[in-house]
Amino acid sequence: MKCRVCGEPAVISLKAYSTALCAPHFISFLEKRTLNTINKYRLIENGEKPIVAVSGGKDSLSVWFMLNKLGYAADGVYINLGIENYSDISFAKIEKMADLLMKKVYSFDIKRLSDKGIDGLAKILKRVPCSACGMIKRYVMNRVCIEYGYTTLVTGHNIDDEASALFGNVLYWKEEYLGKKNVVLEARHGHLSKKVKPFFLCSERDIAAYAILNNIDYIREECPFSVGAKTLIYKDMLNRLEQLSPGTKIQFVKGYLKSFIKNRQEDIKNTENFCSKCGYPTYGSICNMCRVLERLNIGEGHICFDEYDPSVLDTTERLMT
Ligand code: AMP
Ligand code: FES
Ligand code: ZN
Ligand code: ZN
């Protein structure tokens, strides 16, 4: 197998495009594809200040690395879910990347809320870990963005995430969710940040290859609470379809963008209220996060962040960590 561009030995085949590429040409292929998405959907425009939600996985570390390489200076935000043998390892990978990029990371430790990790907290709240986790992550990411003056929250969602979520929504005809997922969601009312997904059209497999070829050290394990999740089953099914018929996933997601997302302002119609306690958006009168604080009998002061800033560590400190 030879690289279609230079004829050197290829390291990856891209069946959906009936091509194969060597390492440098694959890296530039993925960077160009991401840059096209950024420009086409106006994900990060002049004067915007992006921040990347980093989990320690391949997608978010790669998007953080790539954005900085492409000239979009971006800091990071991490939500430490207090999961044993997982969360601290994830953060160590994030610190390593922060050192390389010389970028700041804001982190929120869930144990600030109840001294418990996400599983313990979810039990108190009588929710399953993933639902409590999703709600807390959404709130915290948005809040860091607004509080620290970032304009644009970047996540590492890839085409496999989008296709499997879309598949689930179509399968159960969750019409209320169809049309809500997009490459970009605009900022609103000064309290909801713009949210963008530069890897929306990149596959998990390609991103993993990009991470490996760039020596990005990422956590390979999935969150232990995601085992058996329906989205993982859908991903597996879609991968099997993709193998039989390369290009299926991209057609599915692009078709969705074309048919459902007619106008990027469309989702603005669905206006929210503002939480009477914290001022952040909610569909009711008090937001879910403030309900959690009430349930735990604690105040808003518990929502605060640690900052890891490699640019203020001196060289010896950095070498020792
Ligand atoms: P997931 O929902 O786990 O597939 O993650 C989707 C995206 O959300 C990732 O690519 C990250 O950008 C972001 N994300 C997930 N978990 C965290 C976390 N604990 N802290 C910060 N960002 C996260
Ligand atoms: Fe949220 Fe696992 S419970 S990532
Ligand atoms: Zn080549
Ligand atoms: Zn609130």
Side-chain angles (χ1 to χ4, degrees):
M1 209 171 51
K2 294 215 161 126
C3 170
R4 178 150 128 190
V5 183
C6 67
E8 291 293 311
V11 294
I12 187 161
S13 71
L14 303 168
K15 291 212 172 73
Y17 304 94
S18 316
T19 196
L21 295 170
C22 69
H25 284 120
F26 171 73
I27 288 172
S28 69
F29 158 82
L30 209 71
E31 288 171 353
K32 269 193 207 139
R33 165 155 277 239
T34 308
L35 209 48
N36 278 344
T37 307
I38 294 176
N39 292 331
K40 178 169 175 190
Y41 297 96
R42 293 183 306 190
L43 300 194
I44 307 171
E45 297 185 280
N46 275 347
E48 289 188 14
K49 197 176 162 199
I51 185 166
V52 180
V54 270
S55 64
K58 61 182 180 323
D59 306 302
S60 54
L61 285 180
S62 295
V63 80
W64 195 19
F65 174 85
M66 194 192 283
L67 286 186
N68 281 288
K69 182 176 169 191
L70 296 175
Y72 298 97
D75 290 327
V77 46
Y78 174 60
I79 290 98
N80 188 326
L81 297 161
I83 302 171
E84 221 179 314
N85 296 324
Y86 181 75
S87 299
D88 290 342
I89 303 174
S90 303
F91 192 50
K93 314 269 182 208
I94 292 167
E95 282 179 323
K96 204 166 155 186
M97 180 58 81
D99 287 349
L100 176 76
L101 303 174
M102 291 297 275
K103 291 289 165 212
K104 209 187 272 183
V105 186
Y106 300 86
S107 65
F108 174 75
D109 189 342
I110 210 159
K111 290 193 175 160
R112 281 181 185 278
L113 299 178
S114 69
D115 242 7
K116 290 186 166 44
I118 189 66
D119 48 335
L121 180 63
K123 268 189 201 130
I124 300 176
L125 302 175
K126 299 191 172 64
R127 293 173 84 148
V128 288
C130 288
S131 110
C133 158
M135 184 279 284
I136 291 170
K137 282 198 297 205
R138 274 192 301 278
Y139 182 90
V140 168
M141 289 173 191
N142 182 54
R143 187 155 170 168
V144 162
C145 203
I146 303 287
E147 251 178 45
Y148 291 92
Y150 294 90
T151 56
T152 313
L153 180 72
V154 180
T155 56
H157 289 96
N158 57 48
I159 197 165
D160 297 68
D161 298 324
E162 300 307 323
S164 82
L166 185 57
F167 187 75
N169 289 338
V170 170
L171 201 59
Y172 293 98
W173 288 114
K174 292 190 183 167
E175 283 180 53
E176 70 277 21
Y177 293 122
L178 280 177
K180 273 202 180 157
K181 281 191 163 284
N182 200 352
V183 196
V184 53
L185 293 175
E186 292 300 334
R188 271 180 268 168
H189 327 296
H191 269 77
L192 197 64
S193 64
K194 178 176 175 182
K195 295 190 180 66
V196 303
K197 302 172 181 173
F199 282 166
F200 201 92
L201 297 175
C202 298
S203 76
E204 205 161 288
R205 171 182 174 265
D206 291 355
I207 298 165
Y210 182 86
I212 291 165
L213 294 171
N214 283 292
N215 290 318
I216 294 173
D217 181 15
Y218 63 88
I219 183 151
R220 281 153 207 257
E221 291 77 31
E222 294 282 350
C223 164
F225 299 112
S226 69
V227 176
K230 272 191 178 162
T231 46
L232 294 184
I233 301 171
Y234 299 153
K235 271 188 189 178
D236 186 48
M237 282 175 50
L238 289 164
N239 279 338
R240 275 187 272 161
L241 261 178
E242 181 75 24
Q243 256 190 344
L244 291 172
S245 174
T248 303
K249 266 187 275 190
I250 197 112
Q251 275 199 29
F252 184 42
V253 170
K254 277 196 169 169
Y256 160 76
L257 285 179
K258 231 165 130 185
S259 336
F260 282 86
I261 312 292
K262 298 198 175 65
N263 178 347
R264 68 195 220 132
Q265 298 298 323
E266 194 105 312
D267 46 302
I268 291 178
K269 276 190 210 149
N270 210 345
T271 38
E272 296 109 349
N273 303 320
F274 294 97
C275 172
S276 55
K277 294 212 151 183
C278 69
Y280 282 88
T282 172
Y283 289 103
S285 57
I286 293 181
C287 76
N288 286 334
M289 190 69 194
C290 286
R291 282 186 205 286
V292 168
L293 299 181
E294 271 185 3
R295 173 84 182 73
L296 299 171
N297 231 341
I298 55 175
E300 248 211 88
H302 287 254
I303 312 237
C304 54
F305 307 99
D306 295 312
E307 278 181 46
Y308 175 77
D309 188 350
S311 68
V312 300
L313 293 180
D314 68 28
T315 323
T316 29
E317 253 181 294
R318 214 174 298 134
L319 288 174
M320 283 168 66
T321 51

